[in-house]
Amino acid sequence: MVSRSYSNLLELASGGGGGGEPLPSLGRRRIPRVVTASGIVPDLDGSDDDTDAASAASDHSSHAPRERTIIVANQLPIRASRRTGGGGGGWEFSWDEDSLLLQLKDSLREHHGRADMEFVYVGGLRDDVPPADHDEVAHQLLEGFRCVPTFLPADLRSRFYHGFCKQQLWPLFHYMLPLSPELGGRFDRTLWQAYVSVNKIFADKILEVISPEEDYVWVHDYHLMILPTFLRKRFNRVKLGFFLHSPFPSSEIYKTLPVREELLRSLLNADLIGFHTFDYARHFLSCCGRMLGLKYESRRGYIALEYYGRTVTIKILPVGVHLEQLQSVLNLTETGVKVAELLKQFCDQNRLLLLGVDDMDIFKGISLKLLAFEQLLMQHPEWRGRVVLVQIANPARGRGKDVKEVQDESYAMVRRINDAFGQPGYQPVILIDRPLQFYERMAYYVVAECCLVTAVRDGMNLIPYEYIIARQGNEKIDRILGLSPSARKKSMLVLSEFIGCSPSLSGAIRVNPWNVDAVADAMDSALEMPEGEKVLRHEKHHKYVSTHDVGYWANSFLQDLERTCLDHSRRRCWGIGFGLRFRVVALDPNFKKLAVEHLVSAYRRTTTRIILLDYDGTLMPQTSFGKSPSSKTIDMLSSLCRDQNNMVFLVSAKKRSTLDEWFSPCENIGLAAEHGYFLRLKRDAEWETCVPVTDCSWKQIAEPVMKTYTETTDGSTIEDKETAIVWSYEDADPDFGSCQAKELHDHLESVLANEPVTVKAGLNHVEVKPQVSWFTAKLRCSH
């Protein structure tokens, strides 16, 4: 039975199988790992500076290396096919022009000043490659396409992709809880094990080609969310970015996942984490705060998290389209022919075309769209016979009962609407469920009066962007449409509030797809809107889409990744933790690790010692309910006090009577109070109180204010510490508690402005204490 802790990742992933011998390092001489993997050898990493590592790294090349980015995704941007005929079989490969990963490389090289950047792809193939062909295929892809394939056994790939990714992560990230076996897959640890195994295989493939001191690694999407931990464990200073292309759910949804902390901590092993929208980033940050206790802050416009000394930056930018590809498709002869055919079918018949393009799955809202269109025809008889909804239904990426139900429901609704509102020569809904060529889809965009994207939950839907570019057209399309060169273009969008591109298209009519009446009204508004307003909305959208293409998105991400990784060489790194709880502790270069032997030697050399021991959080755990010290703690302190050279003080804000009771067995121990006085606990020696007990009349002002906030903040408490008073919200909702703490801090500063106290906000608490510090006092002792 597999251990639930999964502390030994190598054993967990042992059943995966990577396939083939290690690949060559893409023509570059490999650097010894002991040099490139900072932090693995403590003595090397513990030098005063990293000159040894730097000089060794520079030996491998006499000139600056070419900038290189390793792009990692579940699938390579490659199309594969078996050779047929008398050639003896074999494989043929070509670039997948529709792949975002290929488009970002082309756009970066052509328009964003990265023509010299080298790209290496690591990922899987859509087709099963027999083990006997692994070496040949790997060599062919490496030499011809700079791609490194990850070969997965069919059973492992099915459990990884169709199992954990599509049955558990994908539904949950789209807000679908597995409340019953019929509603999404229940958590299955064997599928989770397969997910970890596949991520380990991907990491092994990256290790074959990476130069960790030079290369940037960019990991894509939820299929590889724990890959950052594997890479960070091997190379503490790896330059690593991760971009999530799906939604990230709210903390209330996400925290139902049994492996929630493992995924969060793995993502935090990246240097830069990208999201399409602020909502997705906000949900991620909320999860980090509620489950890991992390706080984030804005630094000169960038959102950052501190994670064990490392700065993890959050990037918010939606992906764009590849403008050159769309323009080239618009210029195809086939596109022009199809546009002319559609004009004859619809426009020449005085029909207005509404267009939907969606995958046939439960989250795209096809049935809700059909209900809204039916409502439109019922409430607005003037559109009957004039408006046609063409719904292009792409094949679903998943499989199972849900997909079949969506298909059956959609077909039934189409039949019902056509039977109710159809006329001779007029069919209200045209459902196209066959695969369309891209040029055919672009032709539909050109002719459509309005594009409807009403998904109930979607990551980043590029259909609206494609529609806007198609409606802008070009000279060839304008001639087919009969438009003059000076004609201003127009377009209309009805968009769901729950898709990633909605915030960036402010001129669209935004709708709640669940509100069928509102969607029907939005369709009517789009059809009725004055031409001038349609033009203005289109121009605003086109300006954004044309300037924020896929290259702009990729270049911005890589620039932020480079900026985030600038201080890697200036940090000391130590890897700690086991399994998926592994993380890197990054410290300042001047940090010196405290050695026990040095401490003992210094202790023995001295003749007079003052020892200050903090109580809460040091001698006693901060989260401990029982605050009384153990007998072992008291014995340890008594032993420390027997040495006449030692002056031992306990730093605490506890009440005198309580501390006197707890530590009465200890000899010659004093209390160094946090707020202004020293207190002697035993009477056989004469310790003098140097700072008098402070006047605490101000508590009569502060305590009623704190009580007001305690009553309105569930989980908050007040603790009276004799010379201080503390309002704690450690057990309250983190977001609400933080908000209340800011208000309380301002409120107390206002009402206590004339009192000799300080109001201080700390981690999960607000404290009021006297202004004098005990560190300014002098201690006099007589023997």
Side-chain angles (χ1 to χ4, degrees), residues 646-673:
N646 294 344
M647 299 167 62
V648 183
F649 290 90
L650 212 59
V651 183
S652 180
K654 299 295 181 186
K655 291 185 178 182
R656 261 179 287 182
S657 58
T658 303
L659 288 166
D660 196 12
E661 176 186 347
W662 288 347
F663 294 101
S664 58
C666 299
E667 299 290 334
N668 298 325
I669 187 169
L671 167 68

Side-chain angles (χ1 to χ4, degrees), residues 165-406:
C165 290
K166 285 299 182 182
Q167 288 183 21
Q168 296 179 3
L169 280 185
W170 188 75
L172 187 76
F173 279 24
H174 288 76
Y175 286 68
M176 183 177 178
L177 291 174
L179 300 175
S180 67
E182 291 77 23
L183 296 175
R186 291 280 176 84
F187 183 78
D188 185 339
R189 285 202 173 266
T190 62
L191 301 182
W192 165 243
Q193 180 185 355
Y195 184 81
V196 174
S197 299
V198 170
N199 276 253
K200 174 65 170 57
I201 292 172
F202 272 77
D204 290 341
K205 286 299 178 183
I206 295 170
L207 296 180
E208 294 174 4
V209 296
I210 190 175
S211 293
E213 296 291 333
E214 302 167 6
D215 296 341
Y216 291 90
V217 181
W218 187 359
V219 181
H220 290 263
D221 223 0
Y222 62 93
H223 313 89
L224 303 171
M225 290 178 72
I226 61 172
L227 181 57
T229 289
F230 286 109
L231 296 179
R232 187 69 63 188
K233 192 168 188 177
R234 296 294 184 93
F235 305 115
N236 292 167
R237 292 190 179 98
V238 65
K239 304 169 185 176
L240 179 59
F242 181 93
F243 197 93
L244 183 67
H245 292 272
S246 76
F248 196 93
S250 69
S251 60
E252 294 301 311
I253 299 292
Y254 178 78
K255 70 183 181 182
T256 63
L257 187 65
V259 290
R260 58 193 189 182
E261 285 196 19
E262 288 87 337
L263 292 179
L264 282 182
R265 292 186 184 277
S266 294
L267 287 179
L268 290 170
N269 276 323
D271 296 296
L272 178 66
I273 307 173
F275 299 92
H276 287 303
T277 71
F278 173 69
D279 274 349
Y280 304 159
R282 176 169 56 86
H283 293 159
F284 172 77
L285 294 170
S286 176
C287 289
C288 291
R290 291 171 180 270
M291 298 170 207
L292 303 180
L294 301 179
K295 303 290 185 182
Y296 68 92
E297 60 183 356
S298 179
R299 300 178 180 176
R300 296 181 179 270
Y302 296 97
I303 299 176
L305 284 161
E306 284 295 324
Y307 187 63
Y308 291 95
R310 293 174 49 249
T311 298
V312 181
T313 305
I314 305 300
K315 176 74 173 177
I316 302 169
L317 185 67
V319 72
V321 292
H322 192 200
L323 295 174
E324 288 74 16
Q325 183 199 32
L326 297 181
Q327 289 295 341
S328 65
V329 173
L330 285 175
N331 278 318
L332 292 176
T333 302
E334 296 93 328
T335 305
V337 172
K338 185 64 178 181
V339 169
E341 176 186 323
L342 294 177
L343 288 174
K344 184 177 180 180
Q345 180 181 354
F346 296 104
C347 298
D348 291 354
Q349 303 297 322
N350 196 29
R351 307 272 196 260
L352 294 174
L353 178 61
L354 302 180
L355 179 66
V357 181
D358 305 279
D359 293 345
M360 185 67 83
D361 68 49
I362 59 176
F363 298 112
K364 293 301 188 287
I366 294 178
S367 59
L368 292 173
K369 184 189 305 181
L370 292 172
L371 283 173
F373 184 69
E374 182 180 38
Q375 191 84 339
L376 173 72
L377 297 180
M378 292 173 60
Q379 294 181 351
H380 299 275
E382 66 273 16
W383 294 122
R384 299 174 190 174
R386 289 197 58 203
V387 177
V388 177
L389 171 61
V390 174
Q391 177 62 55
I392 298 174
N394 301 318
R397 300 180 188 181
R399 61 188 183 188
K401 180 181 177 182
D402 293 336
V403 174
K404 183 67 166 59
E405 288 178 350
V406 170

Side-chain angles (χ1 to χ4, degrees), residues 67 69 71 100-114 117 119 121 216 218 220 241 243 245 272 276 315 317-322 547-562:
E67 191 177 20
T69 298
I71 297 178
L100 176 69
L101 306 182
L102 178 63
Q103 294 171 3
L104 71 86
K105 179 190 76 170
D106 293 343
S107 188
L108 280 173
R109 286 181 169 178
E110 293 174 12
H111 302 289
H112 295 276
R114 296 181 183 266
M117 175 172 276
F119 290 89
Y121 293 99
Y216 291 90
W218 187 359
H220 290 263
F243 197 93
H245 292 272
L272 178 66
H276 287 303
K315 176 74 173 177
L317 185 67
V319 72
V321 292
H322 192 200
T547 55
H548 292 71
D549 65 346
V550 65
Y552 176 91
W553 165 76
N555 187 57
S556 179
F557 187 90
L558 289 177
Q559 283 180 341
D560 281 0
L561 181 58
E562 292 163 2

